[in-house]
Amino acid sequence: MMQIQRMIRSIEVTTGSPSSTPLGLSPERAGVYKVKSPARDSNSSDDSSLLLQSSSCEPSPQSSPYHSTSWSSTASNSSSGTYRPWKFTRKLDKLGVIDEEEVDYGYDVDVDDHNERVNKYLIGVLGFVSLFAVFCLIVWGASRPYTPRITVKSLTVNTFYFGQGSDYTGVPTKFLTVNCSVTMIVHNPATFFGIHVSSTPFDLFYSEITVASGQMKKFYQPRKSQQIVSVNLEGNMVPLYGAGASFAVSDKNGRVPLRLESDIRSQGDVMGKLVRTNHHRHISCSMVVDSGINKVVKFESSCRYA
């Protein structure tokens, strides 16, 4: 607003000043121009434009010593009401008088709304994750009591041969060849998930020497079901070295002490891969075998499960 007022003051023209006459015309021949400032309270559509009116007749181009073609054409345009003697007059006509008022574009409100939506979204996601985690924890806790039941029933001896020989280095020693099978029952008591059952190798020991070994195949046990599993154990020409003498005595008496050991592992997919339950059982069974008789050794209370 102040800029427009300064521009209006700069273009005020009076007939008393020689320098204010256009193109060097005399004061008597020069036209007097009046500038009207737009009223602040006017409702007209032209209240923001500058109105330039001449208070006297336009000077004759022929009577002016500074007559030129451009002035004549300009004067003719002035008589029709479209004359603009200053270049900035056209721009002023397009300007409006605008009061300086504080404009609130609602930026802060939009930012607050956006932040509020983001916070609600994050709270919802965190709440869902927390509830789901608690649910998974509850399901996992409910699945822990369902431990698979492993029962070793018997060991069937197919081959049990004791003899004399030499190892691959030529050292004389006693050898043992064993072929047998272990039978056991695997029961899954869980009511809402199955289990994957696997094991470490089944080892048959005499003293601390492994005389036979076998591997159980991994299998899937459905919920609330059981099945009989058989594992074959083999040992071919196993050197006994220092234990050969004591083994010969036990074999002569028909009572060779052996020990069967293995670890059974089970994994239950309660909720796919998100919730799993794992159990581990160690089996240790003691027995006495007669090499002269191939028979089935039953395990009543000689097995320990840990």
Side-chain angles (χ1 to χ4, degrees):
M1 185 66 186
M2 296 297 296
Q3 184 179 3
I4 295 176
Q5 292 178 356
R6 286 195 296 269
M7 293 174 65
I8 293 173
R9 294 194 194 98
S10 65
I11 62 174
E12 290 181 349
V13 181
T14 60
T15 57
S17 175
S19 60
S20 62
T21 58
L23 300 178
L25 296 178
S26 61
E28 291 79 10
R29 302 185 61 86
V32 179
Y33 293 88
K34 297 181 180 179
V35 179
K36 294 183 178 180
S37 177
R40 299 279 299 188
D41 56 350
S42 176
N43 295 326
S44 64
S45 61
D46 297 329
D47 58 347
S48 62
S49 64
L50 298 178
L51 302 177
L52 302 179
Q53 296 180 351
S54 177
S55 62
S56 64
C57 297
E58 294 294 332
S60 175
Q62 290 79 5
S63 61
S64 174
Y66 301 97
H67 169 69
S68 64
T69 305
S70 61
W71 173 257
S72 300
S73 61
T74 305
S76 62
N77 291 335
S78 176
S79 62
S80 61
T82 60
Y83 171 62
R84 297 291 184 270
W86 298 282
K87 295 181 180 180
F88 55 82
T89 304
R90 186 179 300 274
K91 296 181 180 180
L92 292 178
D93 289 341
K94 296 180 180 180
L95 294 176
V97 180
I98 302 175
D99 292 336
E100 295 181 359
E101 297 177 355
E102 182 180 359
V103 180
D104 185 7
Y105 293 98
Y107 177 76
D108 294 337
V109 176
D110 293 342
V111 171
D112 293 340
D113 291 343
H114 175 71
N115 293 337
E116 185 177 356
R117 288 194 297 269
V118 171
N119 292 336
K120 290 182 178 179
Y121 175 77
L122 292 177
I123 291 173
V125 172
L126 292 177
F128 173 78
V129 172
S130 300
L131 291 176
F132 185 75
V134 171
F135 174 74
C136 292
L137 184 62
I138 293 174
V139 172
W140 178 81
S143 65
R144 291 297 298 171
Y146 296 104
T147 303
R149 299 170 186 169
I150 312 296
T151 305
V152 180
K153 301 298 292 183
S154 63
L155 183 141
T156 302
V157 179
N158 301 319
T159 303
F160 199 91
Y161 172 76
F162 173 71
Q164 183 75 29
S166 300
D167 63 5
Y168 66 95
T169 61
V171 177
T173 184
K174 291 181 173 55
F175 288 89
L176 179 64
T177 298
V178 179
N179 187 304
C180 58
S181 61
V182 178
T183 302
M184 60 182 179
I185 298 176
V186 178
H187 175 66
N188 178 21
T191 59
F192 57 94
F193 64 91
I195 58 174
H196 298 273
V197 183
S198 62
S199 72
T200 60
F202 280 76
D203 295 325
L204 188 64
F205 294 93
Y206 172 75
S207 184
E208 297 300 326
I209 301 174
T210 303
V211 297
S213 181
Q215 180 66 54
M216 183 186 73
K217 294 182 180 180
K218 184 178 180 180
F219 63 93
Y220 176 78
Q221 186 68 38
R223 62 187 181 89
K224 298 184 68 175
S225 65
Q226 67 179 20
Q227 65 174 310
I228 299 175
V229 181
S230 180
V231 183
N232 292 325
L233 283 70
E234 293 183 355
N236 186 25
M237 297 292 291
V238 179
L240 299 177
Y241 296 112
S246 61
F247 186 89
V249 174
S250 299
D251 181 61
K252 184 177 181 180
N253 296 330
R255 295 181 63 84
V256 178
L258 299 176
R259 185 178 75 257
L260 177 69
E261 290 190 2
S262 181
D263 291 330
I264 306 296
R265 294 188 293 261
S266 64
Q267 175 180 289
D269 295 335
V270 182
M271 293 180 60
K273 295 182 179 181
L274 294 176
V275 180
R276 288 179 172 179
T277 178
N278 296 279
H279 294 91
H280 175 270
R281 299 294 301 274
H282 179 74
I283 300 172
S284 179
C285 301
S286 300
M287 69 196 83
V288 176
V289 176
D290 186 356
S291 61
I293 303 175
N294 294 336
K295 61 178 182 178
V296 177
V297 179
K298 293 185 179 296
F299 301 105
E300 299 296 335
S301 59
S302 59
C303 290
R304 293 177 298 173
Y305 305 94

